[in-house]
């Protein structure tokens, strides 16, 4: 069986006028990625925008294992919560879609 990585997906509805700032925080060189790269096992983050609703985004965060992510949150929990609080003003709503095994090992 091929090796699988772990990923989780969040959905965000961004306030009008906050798109650029949101993309700065959540994009490939944003503050979230900078924080995640401090953790062992982090692979990458993908930020995608809905083509029919430009205020709706998804983030997909990839880690080698679920344990890597949980260990990251143990070590960097305060930084994670502080950054999350800083970003709260950018969104109207956010929800965790779920946690998944990434079966596409080509990106691994």
């Amino acid at each position: 069986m091929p090796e699988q990585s772990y990923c989780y997906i969040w959905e965000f509805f961004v306030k009008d006028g906050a798109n650029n700032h949101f993309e700065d925080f959540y994009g490939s060189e944003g503050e979230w990625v900078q924080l995640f790269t401090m953790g062992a096992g982090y692979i990458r983050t993908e930020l995608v925008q809905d083509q029919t609703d430009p205020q709706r985004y998804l983030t997909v965060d990839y880690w080698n294992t679920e344990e890597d992510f949980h260990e990251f949150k143990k070590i960097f929990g305060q930084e994670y919560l502080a950054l999350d609080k800083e970003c709260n003003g950018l969104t109207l709503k956010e929800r965790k879609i779920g946690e998944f095994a990434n079966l596409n090992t080509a990106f691994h």
Side-chain angles (χ1 to χ4, degrees), residues 1-107:
M1 181 174 207
E3 186 178 339
Q4 300 173 359
S5 62
Y6 165 80
C7 69
Y8 54 90
I9 302 173
W10 282 84
E11 175 184 53
F12 299 89
F13 288 89
V14 176
K15 292 180 179 178
D16 285 339
N19 292 62
N20 289 338
H21 201 51
F22 179 86
E23 292 171 16
D24 287 344
F25 271 98
Y26 289 86
S28 63
E29 296 180 20
E31 285 85 347
W32 280 106
V33 169
Q34 291 175 28
L35 178 59
F36 290 156
T37 58
M38 297 170 74
Y42 172 72
I43 299 171
R44 75 182 183 285
T45 295
E46 294 177 1
L47 174 65
V48 294
Q49 184 180 37
D50 189 319
Q51 292 186 355
T52 59
D53 181 356
Q55 301 312 114
R56 181 177 178 238
Y57 292 84
L58 298 178
T59 60
V60 186
D61 299 307
Y62 294 90
W63 294 78
N64 283 326
T65 66
E66 182 177 359
E67 292 76 26
D68 286 337
F69 173 66
H70 291 299
E71 185 65 21
F72 160 81
K73 283 194 71 173
K74 282 182 196 171
I75 296 169
F76 298 101
Q78 288 183 322
E79 295 88 344
Y80 184 98
L81 291 174
L83 187 53
D84 190 50
K85 185 176 180 180
E86 187 176 348
C87 294
N88 277 344
L90 301 173
T91 59
L92 298 169
K93 182 172 103 173
E94 65 181 70
R95 86 179 163 100
K96 182 178 179 181
I97 291 180
E99 302 177 41
F100 301 88
N102 178 21
L103 303 178
N104 185 356
T105 57
F107 293 106

